[in-house]
């Protein structure tokens, strides 16, 4: 795990305590500071604090990955139409209950050659508080639905909200998943202004970036339309996330 910054912080706390002779207020300050760092590590998936997640591809060429969370939805067919028009493949991290709601759309995603990832059964708001066994059930039940509806299995998993903790880390290991993060977060579920979303994505692009989007709104659909034109103009190609995992296994 990428704990170097946290180890340094821990050592700093010990030196700080020693320097001030371990008075109570020093212990309190260090405890609060360390707690804040742990919370930060839980929500910042790119830090790899609890789980090593793939957040980008090491590459020398101009290529990026388009990833979509929380589908399939009523909007997903329009996203698929647009991707097909631009001859672009993407990675869809699907929720089990949404697959049950839109089985034909899920089957279409697979049929058109896109990559599928597990995004839990329910994408519960209490994900960060679930036990290891309940987290495993969320992942395994989503896997079962994917198998029943699309006859497909996936080793790719994206934690809801990008939240990780010890229980989630154990669940990922025990279900033999590879955690997938991102290094370009669109915030398209929070920001209403399409231009701001577009600027946020295009400004943060680098070679090998993994872009987080959601196939859940007309707003993001319009952003995607502009983004695909931008990628073509800037000579960016696209890759799917499974290609990173496969290349690492072959190294």
């Amino acid at each position: 795990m990428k704990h170097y910054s946290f180890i340094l912080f821990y050592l700093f706390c010990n030196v700080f305590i020693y320097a001030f002779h371990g008075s109570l207020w020093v212990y309190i300050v260090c405890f609060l500071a360390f707690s804040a760092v742990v919370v930060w590590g839980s929500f910042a998936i790119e830090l790899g604090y609890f789980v090593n997640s793939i957040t980008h591809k090491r590459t020398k060429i101009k290529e990026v990955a388009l990833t979509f969370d929380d589908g399939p939805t009523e909007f997903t067919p329009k996203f698929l139409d647009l991707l097909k028009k631009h001859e672009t493949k993407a990675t869809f991290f699907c929720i089990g209950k949404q697959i049950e709601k839109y089985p034909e759309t899920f089957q279409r995603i697979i049929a058109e050659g896109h990559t599928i990832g597990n995004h839990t059964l329910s994408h519960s708001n209490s994900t960060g508080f679930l036990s290891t066994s309940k987290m495993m059930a969320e992942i395994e039940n989503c896997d079962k639905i994917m198998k029943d509806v699309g006859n497909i299995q996936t080793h790719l998993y994206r934690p809801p909200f990008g939240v990780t903790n010890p229980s989630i880390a154990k669940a990922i290991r025990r279900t033999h998943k590879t955690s997938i993060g991102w290094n370009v977060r669109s915030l398209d579920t929070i920001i209403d202004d399409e231009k701001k979303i577009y600027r946020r994505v295009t400004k943060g692009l680098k070679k090998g970036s993994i872009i987080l989007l959601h196939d859940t709104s007309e707003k993001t659909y319009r952003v995607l339309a502009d983004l695909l034109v931008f990628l073509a103009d800037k000579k960016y190609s696209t890759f799917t996330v499974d290609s990173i995992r496969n290349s690492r296994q072959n190294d």
Side-chain angles (χ1 to χ4, degrees), residues 61-111:
I61 66 175
K62 296 178 72 173
E63 58 178 341
V64 297
L66 296 170
T67 68
F68 299 94
D69 285 10
D70 296 0
T73 71
E74 61 185 295
F75 302 102
T76 305
K78 294 187 67 174
F79 283 75
L80 293 172
D81 290 342
L82 192 56
L83 292 168
K84 187 174 183 179
K85 177 182 176 182
H86 287 265
E87 299 181 340
T88 299
K89 303 301 181 188
T91 305
F92 288 81
F93 289 94
C94 298
I95 298 172
K97 289 186 177 180
Q98 290 298 118
I99 295 172
E100 289 182 318
K101 192 173 181 180
Y102 299 97
E104 295 85 1
T105 302
F106 181 68
Q107 291 163 354
R108 181 184 168 188
I109 295 171
I110 298 167

Side-chain angles (χ1 to χ4, degrees), residues 49-192:
Y49 186 56
F50 294 107
V51 180
N52 279 325
S53 298
I54 295 174
T55 58
H56 64 283
K57 181 179 182 179
R58 295 176 182 174
T59 180
K60 295 181 180 180
I61 66 175
K62 296 178 72 173
E63 58 178 341
V64 297
L66 296 170
T67 68
F68 299 94
D69 285 10
D70 296 0
T73 71
E74 61 185 295
F75 302 102
T76 305
K78 294 187 67 174
F79 283 75
L80 293 172
D81 290 342
L82 192 56
L83 292 168
K84 187 174 183 179
K85 177 182 176 182
H86 287 265
E87 299 181 340
T88 299
K89 303 301 181 188
T91 305
F92 288 81
F93 289 94
C94 298
I95 298 172
K97 289 186 177 180
Q98 290 298 118
I99 295 172
E100 289 182 318
K101 192 173 181 180
Y102 299 97
E104 295 85 1
T105 302
F106 181 68
Q107 291 163 354
R108 181 184 168 188
I109 295 171
I110 298 167
E112 295 187 359
H114 300 287
T115 295
I116 297 294
N118 184 312
H119 203 39
T120 71
L121 173 68
S122 63
H123 200 291
S124 170
N125 289 333
S126 62
T127 293
F129 302 96
L130 297 180
S131 65
T132 299
S133 60
K134 288 183 178 179
M135 199 67 234
M136 287 178 64
E138 281 281 322
I139 297 171
E140 291 171 343
N141 287 332
C142 183
D143 276 344
K144 184 179 185 304
I145 292 170
M146 287 181 171
K147 181 66 175 177
D148 292 344
V149 176
N151 193 30
I152 193 170
Q153 294 177 306
T154 179
H155 293 289
L156 306 178
Y157 170 74
R158 174 168 280 167
F161 315 109
V163 172
T164 58
N165 59 34
S167 294
I168 293 173
K170 289 179 183 178
I172 292 173
R173 288 195 300 271
R174 292 177 183 177
T175 54
H176 308 291
K177 298 297 184 188
T178 299
S179 179
I180 307 297
W182 55 79
N183 63 353
V184 177
R185 189 172 192 171
S186 65
L187 294 181
D188 57 341
T189 58
I190 299 173
I191 300 172
D192 291 325

Side-chain angles (χ1 to χ4, degrees), residues 9-31:
F9 180 78
Y10 175 77
L11 292 174
F12 170 80
C13 285
N14 279 276
V15 172
F16 188 70
I17 291 170
Y18 178 79
F20 287 90
H21 307 292
S23 60
L24 178 62
W25 73 267
V26 173
Y27 279 107
I28 292 173
V29 169
C30 286
F31 173 77

